[in-house]
Amino acid sequence: MIEEIKERFRGKDFITLQDFTQQELGQMMDAAIELKRQLAEGIPHPILSGKTLGLIFTKSSTRTRVSFEVGIYQLGGYGLFLSDRDIQIGRGEVIQDTARVLSRMVNGIMIRTSSHRDVVDLARYSTVPVINGLTDYLHPTQVLADLMTIYERVRTLQGLKIAFIGDGNNVAHSLLNGATKMGIHIAVASPAGYQPASEIVLQARENAKTSGSVVSIVSEPAEAAEGAHIVYTDVWASMGQETETIQRQGAFAGYQVNKELLKSARADALVMHCLPAHRGEEITEEVLEGPQSVVFEQAENRLHAHKAIMALLI
């Protein structure tokens, strides 16, 4: 199945879900589900035998690093970990020079960093596919795994409703892109000053005109969660925002995903969190560990979704 559609994707970058059609995102999810099945059944799939993926990390990671390293290995290739202490980016080498050098030596580059501009410039100057493993602006690889997780559980995406409760951050941005591409209604509840970027909301509303989604940006968590099939949250202070922790704890005090909030959602609503979680802050222990939580399925599906991205692009 992957070989049949690979030519459609080969050589493309994976910077934002906005760059892909509903059909293409669906094909990526199908590929991820197929690779997951093959792994569970012990069927080898060395699709990237002899290929090397450069893995640039200027931000620390658990799920992104492990999923890409394990994933490229399971696909028959090799992942080369490169922190900013290992390569010249950490000593001031410009991103375009790094792109030109690495793309002459590896078959693909994954980067996890703060600056979204750096990822865009890396892709501009690279001659091999570039995968955005996270920036402060977007987190598309996470959301592809999220969509896969929802589909596995519900067997559809069109017409569902996601409520995102908390900071209008990189995850919220990619959820707005991905949900509206796939025909999922999305409501984001954030306090004033922490709502998603206006240009992302505009993109989502343009997507919605085609897919039939409804986009709501509100301030009340219960309003966002009303009738939701999925209730999603993330930490209040992301990596690099540690100095804002106390300020953010005050701003987000009413934005916890707990049993009371879930009463506004559907009785069978799924609970999602991209991790790491601060239990007792944005989500209670009871809900995170409860029967509605698919948080650790999400985490596992990072492996399968990332494998699909690599298998199709490289």
Side-chain angles (χ1 to χ4, degrees), residues 46-65:
I47 298 167
L48 297 182
S49 178
K51 304 292 186 180
T52 300
L53 180 72
L55 298 160
I56 301 175
F57 284 85
T58 70
K59 278 193 167 188
S60 60
S61 167
T62 299
R63 283 150 292 277
T64 302
R65 179 173 178 180

Side-chain angles (χ1 to χ4, degrees), residues 32 84 92 94 97 133 182 184 191 241 275 306:
D84 55 358
V94 293
D97 291 354
M182 303 309 292
I184 302 172
Q241 297 173 335
L275 299 178
H306 296 177

